[in-house]
Amino acid sequence: MIKNNYQLVVIGGGPAGLAGAITAYENGLSNILIIERNEQLGGILQQCIHNGFGLHLFKEELTGPEYAARWIQQLNDKKITIMLNTTVIDINENKEMTIVNETGLTHICAERILLAMGCRERTRGAILTPGYRPAGIFTAGLAQKLVNIYGYLPGQEIVIVGSGDIGLIMARRLTLERAKVKLITEIMPYSSGLIRNIVQCQEDFMIPLRYNTTITKICGQDRVTGVMIANVDKDRKPIKETEEFISCDTVLFSVGLIPENELSQKIGISIDPITKGPIVDQNLETSVPGIYACGNVLHVHDLVDNVSSEAKRAAMSMINKTNKPILINVSFDKNIRYVVPQKLTNLNINELILSFRVKNVYRQAMISVKSNDMVIYSQKKHIMTPGEMIQIKLISKQLEMIKDDLFLSIEVNKNE
Amino acid sequence: MYDVVVIGAGIVGSNVAYNLGKYRLKVLVMEKESDVATKTSKANSGIIHSGYDNKPNTLKAKMNLIGTQLYPKLAKELNFPYQKIGSLVLAFTNEQVKQLTILLDQGIKNKVTDLSIIDKQKVLELEPNINTNVKKALYAPNTAIICPYEATLAFAENAVLNNVQFQFDDAVVTIIKEDDHFLINNKIKCRYIINAAGVYSDDIAKLVNDDRFQITPRKGEYLLFDRLDHLFNHVIFQTPTKMGKGILITPTVNGNTMIGPTAVDQTDKDDDAVTQLGIDMIKNSISNISNKIETDKIITSFSGLRAIFKDDFVIETSNKDNHFINLIGISSPGLASAPAIGEYVIDLLKENGLNLQPKANFMPYREKPIRITELSNDQYQKLIRSNPLYGKIVCRCEVVSEQEIINAINRPIRAITLDGIKRRTRAMMGRCQGGFCSTRIMELINKHANIPMIKIKKSGKDSMILYKQIKEDESHDQK
Ligand SMILES: Cc1cc2nc3c(=O)[nH]c(=O)nc-3n(C[C@H](O)[C@H](O)[C@H](O)COP(=O)(O)OP(=O)(O)OC[C@H]3O[C@@H](n4cnc5c(N)ncnc54)[C@H](O)[C@@H]3O)c2cc1C
């Protein structure tokens, strides 16, 4: 087998991988390889033809493919090797991997690896929706690909399960293609999508959305003929008496995204049970030295701009990395679902970005960061929802105040 | 005029077809669905039981014993996975321990020779992840697992190689006796009929006025888990109840873990919907066996219907016509027994006047489908050199290449539905359930089977995936 050595191997050519590779190149790494299993770069952005990308980074409203193109263009004058239609089939903690494409198997050794494999959609099977298994059941992202890339409408009368962002965007998209979106069901009392998507995709198109509602059965032998839905009680269990039938020929599932960490697990990287992504430190370095993670493989982001920035940070930190081992675990209170990074191994840095999600909708609440019970940062927020990823930045003045621990909390006045 | 028509292409019908392929006969298999193994034979535990749990002196006991002995050779010749992993029946109470001895005695009566009762320590040695309050277990080292749809496909593909014909999407709805032959659906003539229609076999018997049978479909639901780091090595049973063998845990030949089945009688033969009740039942019983199982590793759920008629198999000529052979009530251990049933059917045909002349050129083998995941790096490298499409991965979760999909489309029994591709290649069977690759696979079906995108089906006749092409619609508007 042919052997190749690289200073940096980036696995995944979506927005995370692209920004990571470009930043690393611009800051002195040469001999970089991007491995992408699809036939083009850009990842999932290529099927996101709606706008709203790039507001933060480019101060413009771009579509997904436009946003991807901005990054892909930047590759032009850089000597970064790109392998498309290429899949990593084996990898280990020594940063050796076997990749495959139509030219055969190749063995690769990397000095550093940036994991940027993205995420996959949770399926109907994984959430164990009872009923038949007919045609007409899609994840929202698959439906998006069918419509936007392949030019086919999956059905005429649609029920969307879950109010995740892709589901909301598809509700609008399918309506524009003159399909009838009869209902969006959401098991929680709030949407897991961004507020702007609720407004622009659901409310503006007057698509019915029912909270505290779940799907209890998929009907139809060959093709979907309808679904049974029911209200849920406070334990999120369906209330039998409220069950009703909604006819439809298509069911879309938009019930969450899961970071794709099968390769990380193969390497033996520690995974956070909540984010389902690697546990990382302030450098976004995983439990295996020299292997970094960014983007949706690390934790699911709400905005692509945040993915790109995170990738830049990962690339910068792998270059500027200094070693001064300490260990501070980042902990948080019950209102917070997770925080990335999970640990700090060095405080000799200019700034630290903490990304996190909350568990519920909070209004007029306070984010507070403490170390040894001393408040080192606090910020009042008008509203926080589980659908958005929240980021706060600690600067060196605040970082100096960190002692033995770092504790994030949401101090709530009114919890809805 | 066909010599024999087999109705139904489950494991039973396909094995009968395989056995008929050995003789100089004109044989047709008629199947109402679009592929083999779309009903009970695709949704079961996949266990080749060692045979201790059948009532002594029944057809089940007899067929199971012979079938189990035939499988290893068949698996070799026809190249389908067969893994002898052994089984344990766990006893957690003194009452259950008593039952183990009853099972052991019954096994001995059934001429099952490999059984022993082992104590707690040995049980936990064999299966360290089961709950430690286990007392004893019945150990049957010869219990094996197969992939039931792959075995069915192997029998059917071999039959095709030996000139047996298959006709899909063709449900038998009428059978008329004319002189010395039958006329099926007013178009197909044959001298003998084998009724292997699974849960519908009582309805088929009624078509020749044989109305002695009434099948009760008994639903069995399962949860399928992602590869759980080999949590379990054996088939793990609980002590049986009157509804059957109870909920069991089994590895699959592909390294997944499967937990089920439930057992609930119903009337509707088409209802294979998974129920909340079933899911809850399985989840609850898991903890009786092991508390190491994480339910967030569940990939999907599914169910199959057992064809229950009284307590035993019916394998006999109809009392209305001795050219009509009924295979009825082939519930568990139907899979384990299928090869024995196939041979038995040959005997019955001979007894009833069919002239059986062995084919000189009978082809006993079936080529093994190439699976890149089974190859060494060197073998794989060579394969890609010979055909680069083996290096193009289509299904990332199960690691399936483009050429493997094309092969499935071109095999003796063509896979032209998404479910057909799935069962042959494992593509779309992993954790993303086709979210990423099903569009690519549709393109390949479109290209290599020449089926318009819009006509591509998931499985059944009316299971089209897509509704319409958007661009076409726009050109309509311009008119
Ligand atoms: C939950 C469960 C677990 C099981 N576990 C095991 C096990 O571990 N080990 C074991 O040995 N056995 C097991 N069994 C039993 C085993 O699965 C069955 O005995 C076996 O699959 C039956 O095969 P079949 O060919 O008779 O039926 P099927 O696979 O149902 O085939 C019948 C075929 O006939 C076709 N057909 C019906 N009507 C018509 C018509 N009018 N015209 C044309 N075609 C028609 C159907 O479409 C179907 O393809 C289990 C069964 C179940 C349900």
Side-chain angles (χ1 to χ4, degrees):
Chain A
M1 226 185 309
I2 313 163
K3 270 199 181 174
N4 285 311
N5 293 306
Y6 291 91
Q7 277 195 327
L8 170 63
V9 172
V10 178
I11 307 179
L18 289 169
I22 289 164
T23 309
Y25 182 90
E26 284 171 342
N27 289 280
L29 289 191
S30 54
N31 203 8
I32 299 175
L33 168 67
I34 303 178
I35 300 172
E36 167 56 50
R37 57 190 153 199
N38 288 326
E39 34 195 41
Q40 58 178 343
L41 294 170
I44 211 72
L45 286 175
Q46 300 292 7
Q47 70 184 52
C48 301
I49 62 168
H50 54 281
N51 60 0
F53 300 92
L55 268 173
H56 295 253
L57 281 189
F58 298 111
K59 311 283 175 241
E60 275 182 74
E61 280 220 44
L62 305 172
T63 66
E66 283 169 348
Y67 184 92
R70 291 278 168 107
W71 289 96
I72 295 168
Q73 272 160 18
Q74 295 181 50
L75 290 171
N76 286 342
D77 57 346
K78 300 186 177 60
K79 287 214 304 269
I80 294 176
T81 311
I82 294 155
M83 292 191 186
L84 299 175
N85 289 312
T86 304
T87 305
V88 178
I89 53 173
D90 210 2
I91 187 162
N92 65 29
E93 73 280 6
N94 301 323
K95 301 188 273 292
E96 298 163 337
M97 58 190 109
T98 309
I99 61 170
V100 64
N101 57 30
E102 289 181 73
T103 67
L105 299 172
T106 310
H107 194 75
I108 283 179
C109 299
E111 284 169 33
R112 303 168 189 79
I113 294 176
L114 181 60
L115 303 173
M117 291 91 78
C119 61
R120 66 169 175 272
E121 296 178 276
R122 186 173 281 129
T123 65
R124 175 258 174 121
I127 64 165
L128 288 177
T129 305
Y132 290 92
R133 309 206 299 159
I137 304 169
F138 304 88
T139 56
L142 174 55
Q144 186 178 44
K145 180 150 82 175
L146 285 169
V147 175
N148 292 348
I149 307 269
Y150 288 82
Y152 290 95
L153 200 56
Q156 270 180 294
E157 293 202 314
I158 291 143
V159 169
I160 299 179
V161 181
S163 61
D165 287 315
I166 316 175
L168 293 170
I169 283 159
M170 282 315 290
R172 171 175 67 186
R173 185 77 186 91
L174 290 164
T175 305
L176 291 172
E177 289 298 343
R178 273 166 295 158
K180 171 115 191 95
V181 179
K182 294 181 94 168
L183 181 67
I184 303 172
T185 67
E186 171 55 62
I187 193 165
M188 301 305 285
Y190 49 79
S191 164
S192 57
L194 290 171
I195 294 170
R196 79 166 191 220
N197 282 332
I198 289 281
V199 174
Q200 294 171 11
C201 300
Q202 180 248 325
E203 289 175 1
D204 287 359
F205 288 81
M206 290 179 290
I207 296 165
L209 191 166
R210 277 208 222 167
Y211 291 108
N212 299 309
T213 302
T214 192
I215 170 173
T216 55
K217 185 174 183 181
I218 294 180
C219 308
Q221 295 271 354
D222 272 3
R223 177 83 197 190
V224 173
T225 54
V227 294
M228 301 292 290
I229 61 164
N231 298 346
V232 295
D233 60 22
K234 57 181 186 322
D235 300 321
R236 311 280 135 228
K237 294 266 177 279
I239 305 167
K240 191 83 196 152
E241 302 74 56
T242 64
E243 239 182 5
E244 71 180 283
F245 179 77
I246 311 258
S247 71
C248 62
D249 59 15
T250 303
V251 191
L252 257 49
F253 280 83
S254 179
V255 288
L257 300 169
I258 304 166
E260 281 234 294
N261 277 292
E262 281 63 39
L263 286 180
S264 320
Q265 272 158 334
K266 222 174 210 173
I267 301 171
I269 287 173
S270 315
I271 301 290
D272 180 328
I274 306 291
T275 60
K276 311 256 187 251
I279 293 176
V280 292
D281 62 13
Q282 74 289 341
N283 292 325
L284 303 177
E285 189 172 14
T286 67
S287 60
V288 176
I291 302 186
Y292 298 76
C294 64
N296 279 353
V297 79
L298 178 58
H299 59 130
V300 174
H301 292 61
D302 51 353
L303 296 175
V304 70
D305 303 65
N306 291 333
V307 168
S308 302
S309 315
E310 190 175 82
K312 283 183 175 177
R313 278 188 279 132
M316 289 309 292
S317 63
M318 68 175 75
I319 292 160
N320 298 332
K321 194 177 142 187
T322 51
N323 258 337
K324 202 170 156 211
I326 50 159
L327 183 64
I328 293 170
N329 285 315
V330 179
S331 53
F332 44 86
D333 76 348
K334 62 175 191 334
N335 297 328
I336 293 177
R337 207 154 76 81
Y338 70 78
V339 181
V340 171
Q342 291 88 344
K343 57 180 184 182
L344 307 176
T345 57
N346 182 358
L347 288 172
N348 203 1
I349 46 178
N350 294 331
E351 58 177 50
L352 173 68
I353 291 180
L354 297 169
S355 309
F356 65 94
R357 282 180 191 257
V358 292
K359 279 194 187 154
N360 215 320
V361 178
Y362 302 109
R363 289 176 204 275
Q364 311 300 346
M366 185 86 92
I367 303 171
S368 118
V369 182
K370 291 183 194 141
S371 182
N372 292 35
D373 290 329
M374 271 241 310
V375 177
I376 60 174
Y377 173 98
S378 68
Q379 184 194 352
K380 194 160 179 188
K381 277 272 203 181
H382 176 57
I383 181 165
M384 286 182 270
T385 68
E388 64 174 329
M389 187 184 87
I390 304 163
Q391 290 191 322
I392 55 176
K393 180 155 70 175
L394 303 184
I395 53 176
S396 41
K397 190 171 72 204
Q398 293 154 331
L399 291 169
E400 279 163 19
M401 296 163 74
I402 300 181
K403 297 237 161 58
D404 306 314
D405 68 350
L406 194 67
F407 180 74
L408 257 77
S409 58
I410 305 291
E411 269 134 47
V412 192
N413 296 328
K414 208 172 93 194
N415 168 7
E416 300 192 9
Chain B
M1 168 87 76
Y2 290 95
D3 294 306
V4 185
V5 164
V6 180
I7 303 174
I11 189 123
V12 174
S14 297
N15 187 275
V16 169
Y18 157 77
N19 275 293
L20 289 168
K22 297 173 180 170
Y23 302 95
R24 285 161 58 185
L25 297 169
K26 207 165 167 237
V27 179
L28 175 70
V29 179
M30 292 179 72
E31 169 54 58
K32 77 178 167 66
E33 302 296 326
S34 53
D35 197 357
V36 303
T38 60
K39 293 287 179 182
T40 307
S41 300
K42 78 152 194 289
N44 55 62
S45 307
I47 300 166
I48 306 306
H49 298 283
S50 79
Y52 55 79
D53 47 3
N54 301 305
K55 281 216 192 82
N57 304 317
T58 56
L59 268 176
K60 282 189 176 179
K62 190 171 158 196
M63 293 294 124
N64 188 347
L65 190 70
I66 303 172
T68 299
Q69 288 160 0
L70 290 171
Y71 261 106
K73 180 163 177 268
L74 288 169
K76 220 174 252 157
E77 291 184 344
L78 303 178
N79 268 309
F80 59 85
Y82 164 92
Q83 296 167 7
K84 196 177 277 186
I85 59 171
S87 65
L88 296 170
V89 184
L90 304 181
F92 292 96
T93 64
N94 291 334
E95 195 45 47
Q96 293 174 340
V97 171
K98 264 186 237 154
Q99 261 193 294
L100 295 186
T101 10
I102 299 174
L103 284 178
L104 179 73
D105 289 346
Q106 186 166 283
I108 292 166
K109 280 198 192 110
N110 289 344
K111 301 197 182 70
V112 182
T113 53
D114 64 328
L115 304 172
S116 60
I117 291 180
I118 57 176
D119 59 17
K120 175 180 182 142
Q121 194 195 341
K122 183 78 198 287
V123 180
L124 290 172
E125 240 167 65
L126 292 174
E127 288 294 352
N129 292 311
I130 57 177
N131 293 341
T132 50
N133 60 335
V134 66
K135 287 190 149 63
K136 281 180 187 305
L138 178 69
Y139 180 41
N142 286 333
T143 303
I145 51 170
I146 62 170
C147 170
Y149 42 86
E150 189 159 354
T152 304
L153 188 67
F155 294 136
E157 285 194 338
N158 175 277
V160 171
L161 293 182
N162 289 299
N163 292 324
V164 171
Q165 289 168 258
F166 278 76
Q167 197 154 297
F168 293 103
D169 293 317
D170 200 357
V172 172
V173 285
T174 60
I175 303 176
I176 298 165
K177 185 78 182 202
E178 298 182 322
D179 312 326
D180 64 337
H181 65 265
F182 297 101
L183 179 66
I184 301 176
N185 292 356
N186 289 320
K187 61 181 183 198
I188 288 162
K189 289 181 182 169
C190 67
R191 294 173 53 224
Y192 290 81
I193 290 179
I194 316 293
N195 172 12
V199 286
Y200 307 89
S201 53
D202 54 347
D203 301 325
I204 297 291
K206 285 190 189 111
L207 297 180
V208 295
N209 302 317
D210 188 349
D211 50 14
R212 295 169 295 158
F213 310 105
Q214 173 76 48
I215 284 184
T216 305
R218 181 175 294 167
K219 189 182 282 181
E221 293 157 89
Y222 292 90
L223 303 181
L224 181 73
F225 289 69
D226 208 347
R227 299 186 174 85
L228 296 177
D229 301 324
H230 300 285
L231 225 41
F232 306 103
N233 316 307
H234 300 78
V235 179
I236 299 171
F237 296 102
Q238 309 187 62
T239 43
T241 66
K242 70 175 194 310
M243 282 303 271
K245 294 182 258 295
I247 288 176
L248 58 92
I249 300 182
T250 179
T252 70
V253 293
N254 299 299
N256 296 80
T257 299
M258 202 162 74
I259 307 186
T262 55
V264 179
D265 287 349
Q266 59 188 43
T267 47
D268 187 348
K269 291 176 176 177
D270 295 320
D271 176 359
D272 62 353
V274 172
T275 62
Q276 190 61 50
L277 200 71
I279 294 169
D280 293 342
M281 246 152 79
I282 301 171
K283 279 190 174 169
N284 290 338
S285 69
I286 291 177
S287 51
N288 295 340
I289 306 176
S290 168
N291 44 31
K292 298 267 170 66
I293 299 169
E294 299 165 54
T295 44
D296 69 339
K297 293 279 162 57
I298 294 171
I299 295 179
T300 193
S301 57
F302 61 90
S303 86
L305 302 179
R306 307 168 184 86
I308 302 291
F309 176 70
K310 296 190 178 158
D311 281 340
D312 202 4
F313 297 155
V314 175
I315 309 175
E316 60 177 36
T317 54
S318 167
N319 64 353
K320 300 287 176 197
D321 193 314
N322 67 357
H323 282 202
F324 188 96
I325 294 176
N326 278 317
L327 308 177
I328 287 177
I330 313 296
S331 55
S332 192
L335 206 62
S337 306
I341 297 173
E343 292 190 348
Y344 194 173
V345 166
I346 298 291
D347 291 343
L348 281 175
L349 286 168
K350 204 183 290 179
E351 267 171 38
N352 289 285
L354 181 63
N355 184 7
L356 290 162
Q357 302 212 3
K359 260 183 208 154
N361 57 350
F362 170 67
M363 185 35 224
Y365 303 106
R366 179 190 79 129
E367 203 185 321
K368 186 175 166 60
I370 292 174
R371 290 247 170 96
I372 56 171
T373 48
E374 293 171 356
L375 304 177
S376 71
N377 277 353
D378 285 345
Q379 290 170 319
Y380 188 24
Q381 186 76 293
K382 274 205 199 96
L383 187 67
I384 300 174
R385 292 281 142 76
S386 75
N387 182 346
L389 291 182
Y390 282 111
K392 200 166 170 190
I393 307 300
V394 173
C395 166
R396 59 172 76 166
C397 303
E398 295 295 316
V399 197
V400 183
S401 66
E402 179 161 329
Q403 188 58 42
E404 289 168 88
I405 311 250
I406 298 171
N407 293 349
I409 297 170
N410 293 330
R411 284 190 74 86
I413 292 180
R414 311 184 74 192
I416 51 172
T417 61
L418 286 189
D419 281 358
I421 298 273
K422 187 199 257 182
R423 285 192 292 268
R424 283 165 184 78
T425 64
R426 297 194 54 74
M428 304 174 280
M429 219 172 245
R431 51 191 85 86
C432 93
Q433 291 281 290
F436 288 112
C437 64
S438 55
T439 48
R440 185 77 198 103
I441 291 168
M442 288 171 74
E443 282 184 310
L444 291 171
I445 296 177
N446 168 252
K447 180 167 163 204
H448 295 274
N450 230 333
I451 299 173
M453 288 292 273
I454 211 85
K455 292 261 161 68
I456 295 174
K457 295 182 289 189
K458 177 175 186 285
S459 175
K461 253 202 228 58
D462 299 312
S463 66
M464 263 59 91
I465 313 276
L466 302 172
Y467 168 59
K468 68 173 180 187
Q469 195 167 4
I470 292 169
K471 279 191 223 94
E472 243 178 30
D473 185 50
E474 280 165 1
S475 63
H476 262 287
D477 286 347
Q478 284 157 13
K479 271 179 213 160

